Structures are given as C-alpha cells and as structure tokens.
Amino acid sequence: GGEGTNMRTFEVAGSGGFLLCESRKVVPDLFKIGEEIVCFRDAFELKELIKYYLLHSEERKKIAHKGQERAYKEHTYKHRMEEMLSLIHF
C-alpha cells in the first residue's frame, strides 16, 4: 500500500458503488473503514473480501450507500474548492 488515494475513490463512492480498495494511510481520514468503504492489505485478503461481499449483497449495498452519503457530505469538488480558498484566505 501507499499513503495517498486517487479520484476513483471519491468517484466510486459518489456514484453509489461499493468500493473495495487497497488500504492506504489516508483512507481512514476520509471514510469509515468497514462502514463506508472496505479495504484490503494483500491479495489473499482481497480474494476473501470479494467472496464475502459477493455472498452478502445487502451488507455490500448498505456500505455503498453510506459511502455515497459521506462522499456527498464531505468529498465533492465544491468541498475541495472551499478548502483551497480558505487556505489562500479568499
């Protein structure tokens, strides 16, 4: 794993998709792991999580919905622009 994330993290969550991503240092600051997003640490864990969530569709849908709510609440382009502007004191 690495430290950062990419736009796909926010795009998948924002579109209501279930997000199973590689564990990254910043992800817990952005989403609640296991509630709004699911992370894996290695290929074995990825395989196990895929099997689990394919068999537990209601749980998968609930996580996707909560991830979408968080993305709309805190992770839109509007939020990022407001953050940037506040940093440069506009």
Side-chain angles (χ1 to χ4, degrees), residues 18-23 33-35 37-57 59-60 63:
F18 173 76
L19 187 57
L20 177 56
C21 68
E22 188 173 5
S23 184
I33 307 301
E35 291 181 41
I37 190 174
V38 176
C39 295
F40 63 91
R41 291 177 297 252
D42 56 40
F44 176 78
E45 187 175 29
L46 172 61
K47 184 177 177 182
E48 294 303 308
L49 288 168
I50 289 170
K51 285 193 266 186
Y52 177 84
Y53 285 106
L54 284 174
L55 293 172
H56 296 88
S57 62
E59 188 175 352
R60 188 180 70 238
I63 291 170

Side-chain angles (χ1 to χ4, degrees), residues 1 12 22 30 81:
V12 171
E22 188 173 5
L30 304 169
M81 291 304 289

Side-chain angles (χ1 to χ4, degrees), residues 8-19:
R8 183 178 59 235
T9 304
F10 306 105
E11 293 165 349
V12 171
S15 66
F18 173 76
L19 187 57

